[in-house]
Amino acid sequence: MVQEDNPVTRLPPLPLMLGVAAAGIVSVSLVWLVGQQTVVALAYGGALVAVLLMLLLAARLKTAPIEGDTLQPDWSVTSVAIENRRRAVVIIDRANRMVCANSTYESWFDSISSPYDLAFDTSSREAVIAGARDAWRDGSAKVAEVRLEGLEAHYQLQIDRSGRGEAYLVWRFTELREERSYEGLSERLSGRFGEVISRSGLELALVGPDGVVLTTTPGLAERATGSRDNSLGGLEFVQLLRSDDRDRIFFAREGQQGSPQTLVHVPLDAPSADKLSDADQSPSLMLLVDSSVGLGGGWEGSGKAAIPQLEALLSALPLGLALTDRDGRFLFANKAFLRAVERVDRGLPQFPSDLVVREDKAALADTVRRFAKGATASGDMAVRLANDKEEPVSIGLAGVRGLGDAAVLLSISDSSEEKRLRRQVAQATKMQAVGQLAGGVAHDFNNVLTAIIGYCDLMLLRHTPGDSDYDDIQQIKANSNRAASLTRQLLAFSRQQTLRPVVLQLPDVVSEVSQLLKRLMGEKVEFSVRHDRELGSVRADPQQLEQVIINLAVNARDAMQMNAIKRGKQDWKGSLTLATRRVSARDVRKMGIDIMPADDYTVLIVQDTGGGIPDEHLNKIFEPFFTTKEQGKGTGLGLSTVYGIVKQSNGFIFADNVQGPDGTLIGARFTMYLPVHKGELPAIMRREEPEETNATEWSAGGKLLLVEDEDMVRAVAERALARAGYTVTTAADGEEGLGAIANGTTEFDLIVSDVVMPTMDGPAMARAIRKVKPKIPILFMSGYAEEQLRNEIDIEDMHFIPKPFSVQQINAKVAEVLSEHRK
């Protein structure tokens, strides 16, 4: 301990002080006797007194304690002060030596050394060192997550600078645990909540999946061990109880002299439909009810008085729980149960079987009756709720006894979020499968249309306007081109169409298409446009964005017209609004849309007053061939095309309804999110369309190798190219085309080949030919997207023409390639 500061102890001893005073008086007297001058004697005496005072002051200062000079702290007191079984605390000095730690630190890390010596993994060690450095500099630091090698647990670390002279660092480790529905229940049972439960006649025990007691109410601990300090940790729950020959349950410590108990087993994690074994891996709540206490104790022998208190207890639990009587009628259900079955507003039906579909009613009713009247048992079964016939759920059942009319305990977990995510995954998978199918159908259909359009062009070369067949051929070609536009929509939906993206401003695209929209909407639709300020630029194909806006606007016009017809109004008015908005990454996080990354977006909103979209159609609105229009008035590809274009542009589109102040539906709203372009902006943000090459620029002829497995496409292409003056050699597949090159009898100027062919496809044939003829150009024909093919086929001097094509287009493309190659 530090001694107290006493000024008396710092003065010289009293005899020494008296001797010095006497010597001073004698010396002054001698000076006066020798000099006989009083002034000189007084001056000498004054000087002598001053010297003595200075000596006394020096002695006082020498013995005074230096400020801040204290004993070392008592670390044993500090160790007791930082004890915390939920948090590991350790203190180190500036030399990185551990000076104090609580027992939790030693238990968690099995170490009494400095935290710098712990076996952190590589990333955690770097974060810990950086955190300590920041704490010495700034006073505190936090590391969100640290992990140790060999330990499954992970921790959060808080480091604070402290102590006199701020010479110490206090490290606090907090274990990060998965949030569960029973989190915090252990502390409540052992605290004041448990005291209240025990006084009411109930006893609760939290038991781990291995049957070991985790914690209990104080009353249960006292009846099981004789002490209320909750010292049951490590004991198995079955060791606390005994049963007699009549299957009555007693506390083992009390024996049959004690009162019989009614045991209710409550699983805290009900198994989901696809994980029926989850309940075996989670703790359980064991409820013991004293079935022989009189009214004074709060319970009757029949247990009827137990119901209100039991309902209060079950209402506080987050798991969905309900009770039925012996006849299977509902007695009670807590709010979590009502939320899980989506009956919060309607309340409980009479029987549990009223909650499920017709096919499951009999099975659930029989199971409830069996658990109510037979021996006490527990189990679970999968059923489908009446309000959600698609997704099965698991209902847990347990027979209870001694609780009055209560006979069966039902449990169910609220899996609405899980079901929503499952539906989203299923929808995305279905859309992907349909997209692949649409792409394949479009590819095969393009081969058919190529032959039809080609033969029409060849026939038109032999007929002139005015001939009897000329108009019929033109009609065939027009319908073929219309079918070709449908295949382009299929490719757009399957995200396999060719895009030419550029960096642009969304308002520029809206302004270019606004005049066309005004003409399409007509006089009955009021058209308005609103733009936000400081919009970010996006990277997309401007022509495809215009197609998106036109499709959405035409759908809105048709919806408003159909809504007016349904209401019997001939003189109707509608409103269509196009708006652009700026949405930041912070706004996206607040929206909570899981499928959309948190980023900056430029948003286009198209909103109408057409009465909205029925709820049963919202999830299907972007599916191909789905339409609400009358038969023959729509293909169902408009919105699926919009969806494909937006997704291929790395964007997102959502549909919802707009409600008025009175809750009525006003109209539909489509919201399209396009990510803001983060790269450098080019000087010209929208490029001009390249001019088409004129076929007459090349007239030198040439020798062509035409490789196509479809007979009708090969025949029409051969005739078209031969009429243009080319010498054409045909091959039915890649192997035959490679053989024509290997024979060496003909030097070809160009290879025109399909991409997808049996045995050997076009790219494989082209790579083999390039080993022999490295400079020969190759023109691929395909119904798939050019951009996709260029990403998959890495061949130099490769050209592309999409199917279907006309005679003029194939001739022009061949002339263009040969012209470029001869330069």
Side-chain angles (χ1 to χ4, degrees), residues 627-665:
T627 179
T628 57
K629 298 178 182 179
E630 297 179 6
Q631 187 174 3
K633 292 189 177 181
T635 61
L637 288 175
L639 289 179
S640 62
T641 302
V642 168
Y643 180 86
I645 293 172
V646 173
K647 296 300 290 184
Q648 197 172 0
S649 303
N650 298 321
F652 302 87
I653 186 168
F654 304 97
D656 62 344
N657 289 319
V658 181
Q659 295 183 349
D662 56 351
T664 58
L665 292 181

Side-chain angles (χ1 to χ4, degrees), residues 69-376:
D69 184 16
T70 60
L71 297 177
Q72 289 293 323
D74 188 352
W75 292 113
S76 62
V77 176
T78 306
S79 178
V80 174
I82 63 177
E83 273 301 321
N84 190 326
R85 62 190 181 92
R86 284 189 168 189
R87 182 176 296 171
V89 184
V90 61
I91 303 174
I92 66 171
D93 59 13
R94 285 194 176 273
N96 295 330
R97 295 171 300 192
M98 187 187 76
V99 296
C100 183
N102 63 3
S103 59
T104 306
Y105 177 83
E106 299 177 11
S107 173
W108 281 4
F109 306 124
D110 194 20
S111 173
I112 56 173
S113 58
S114 169
Y116 287 105
D117 298 331
L118 297 179
F120 297 109
D121 60 20
T122 304
S123 60
S124 297
R125 179 168 296 279
E126 294 176 356
V128 167
I129 294 175
R133 184 170 55 251
D134 294 342
W136 281 122
R137 183 187 64 220
D138 303 330
S140 65
K142 185 176 182 180
V143 182
E145 182 177 0
V146 295
R147 292 180 179 270
L148 276 72
E149 296 178 353
L151 295 181
E152 295 182 359
H154 51 290
Y155 308 89
Q156 184 183 82
L157 175 60
Q158 176 70 35
I159 308 176
D160 296 296
R161 189 178 62 201
S162 183
R164 182 177 288 109
E166 297 184 338
Y168 300 98
L169 285 185
V170 181
W171 300 51
R172 297 181 178 90
F173 292 87
T174 304
E175 186 177 0
L176 297 174
R177 295 178 297 174
E178 181 182 359
E179 290 291 333
R180 305 298 294 265
S181 59
Y182 47 82
E183 201 70 34
L185 185 58
S186 177
E187 289 74 14
R188 294 183 182 181
L189 290 182
S190 59
R192 295 187 61 186
F193 175 76
E195 292 282 359
V196 174
I197 293 297
S198 294
R199 286 197 301 268
S200 67
L202 293 173
E203 299 298 349
L204 295 171
L206 185 63
V207 180
D210 54 358
V212 175
V213 177
L214 302 178
T215 188
T216 68
T217 54
L220 190 150
E222 183 177 15
R223 297 188 67 175
T225 64
S227 173
R228 299 178 68 89
D229 60 359
N230 209 339
S231 58
L232 297 177
L235 294 178
E236 293 188 5
F237 181 74
V238 295
Q239 297 176 355
L240 307 180
L241 305 175
R242 293 288 184 271
S243 61
D244 60 5
D245 52 0
R246 292 188 294 170
D247 291 333
R248 293 183 301 172
I249 299 174
F250 299 88
F251 281 101
R253 180 174 174 272
E254 298 174 351
Q256 295 188 12
Q257 289 76 22
S259 57
Q261 305 293 313
T262 299
L263 176 62
V264 180
H265 174 216
V266 181
L268 291 181
D269 275 348
S272 59
D274 54 347
K275 296 181 179 180
L276 298 180
S277 62
D278 283 354
D280 298 333
Q281 305 299 324
S282 62
S284 300
L285 196 64
M286 297 298 182
L287 172 64
L288 289 171
V289 183
D290 196 332
S291 56
S292 63
V293 179
L295 287 173
W299 296 92
E300 290 182 330
S302 64
K304 292 183 178 179
I307 297 300
Q309 300 181 53
L310 182 60
E311 290 178 359
L313 172 65
L314 298 183
S315 296
L317 297 177
L319 179 65
L321 298 169
L323 291 170
T324 70
D325 60 15
R326 290 178 176 81
D327 295 327
R329 293 183 176 87
F330 271 120
L331 295 175
F332 163 80
N334 62 4
K335 292 183 178 178
F337 188 92
L338 294 176
R339 284 196 301 268
V341 298
E342 298 181 7
R343 295 184 68 94
V344 176
D345 299 329
R346 293 178 291 170
L348 284 174
Q350 188 174 8
F351 295 97
S353 57
D354 296 332
L355 298 175
V356 300
V357 297
R358 180 168 52 86
E359 294 80 3
D360 295 338
K361 286 182 180 294
L364 181 59
D366 292 341
T367 304
V368 171
R369 283 194 294 269
R370 186 174 71 252
F371 278 93
K373 298 180 179 180
T376 56

Side-chain angles (χ1 to χ4, degrees), residues 573-771:
K573 293 288 185 181
S575 174
L576 177 66
T577 303
L578 267 65
T580 55
R581 294 287 183 267
R582 176 167 50 92
V583 175
S584 64
R586 179 182 300 178
D587 298 330
V588 175
R589 294 189 189 97
K590 292 180 180 178
M591 292 161 58
I593 302 177
D594 299 332
I595 63 175
M596 193 166 70
D599 202 351
D600 296 333
Y601 292 90
T602 297
V603 179
L604 174 66
I605 302 173
V606 180
Q607 182 173 327
D608 61 53
T609 57
I613 304 171
D615 292 338
E616 62 271 16
H617 295 162
L618 271 177
N619 292 332
K620 304 177 181 179
I621 199 69
F622 292 113
E623 293 184 6
F625 311 113
F626 177 80
T627 179
T628 57
K629 298 178 182 179
E630 297 179 6
Q631 187 174 3
K633 292 189 177 181
T635 61
L637 288 175
L639 289 179
S640 62
T641 302
V642 168
Y643 180 86
I645 293 172
V646 173
K647 296 300 290 184
Q648 197 172 0
S649 303
N650 298 321
F652 302 87
I653 186 168
F654 304 97
D656 62 344
N657 289 319
V658 181
Q659 295 183 349
D662 56 351
T664 58
L665 292 181
I666 296 178
R669 175 174 55 200
F670 289 85
T671 307
M672 178 179 66
Y673 295 83
L674 293 178
V676 173
H677 179 67
K678 300 295 180 63
E680 296 183 1
L681 299 181
I684 301 176
M685 298 184 66
R686 180 169 180 172
R687 69 186 185 189
E688 298 294 333
E689 290 296 322
E691 295 182 359
E692 295 185 1
T693 305
N694 192 347
T696 59
E697 293 179 0
W698 174 262
S699 57
K703 297 178 181 180
L704 309 179
L705 175 60
L706 176 62
V707 186
E708 171 62 60
D709 62 312
E710 289 285 345
D711 296 338
M712 52 187 175
V713 177
R714 184 174 65 251
V716 71
E718 179 185 7
R719 290 182 57 184
L721 294 172
R723 288 183 63 89
Y726 300 104
T727 302
V728 182
T729 302
T730 61
D733 54 38
E735 288 185 348
E736 187 176 340
L738 182 60
I741 295 292
N743 290 334
T745 57
T746 304
E747 290 292 332
F748 295 105
D749 299 306
L750 175 66
I751 298 175
V752 183
S753 173
D754 191 15
V755 175
V756 180
M757 294 183 294
T759 309
M760 176 181 285
D761 60 13
M765 179 196 69
R767 293 187 185 96
I769 291 175
R770 282 290 175 84
K771 294 179 181 179

Side-chain angles (χ1 to χ4, degrees), residues 349-415:
Q350 188 174 8
F351 295 97
S353 57
D354 296 332
L355 298 175
V356 300
V357 297
R358 180 168 52 86
E359 294 80 3
D360 295 338
K361 286 182 180 294
L364 181 59
D366 292 341
T367 304
V368 171
R369 283 194 294 269
R370 186 174 71 252
F371 278 93
K373 298 180 179 180
T376 56
S378 62
D380 57 83
M381 64 180 302
V383 296
R384 290 170 297 166
L385 298 177
N387 53 9
D388 188 1
K389 301 178 181 180
E390 301 293 333
E391 299 288 342
V393 298
S394 180
I395 293 183
L397 301 99
V400 295
R401 303 295 181 265
L403 296 181
D405 294 333
V408 179
L409 177 69
L410 302 177
S411 62
I412 186 173
S413 60
D414 185 3
S415 58

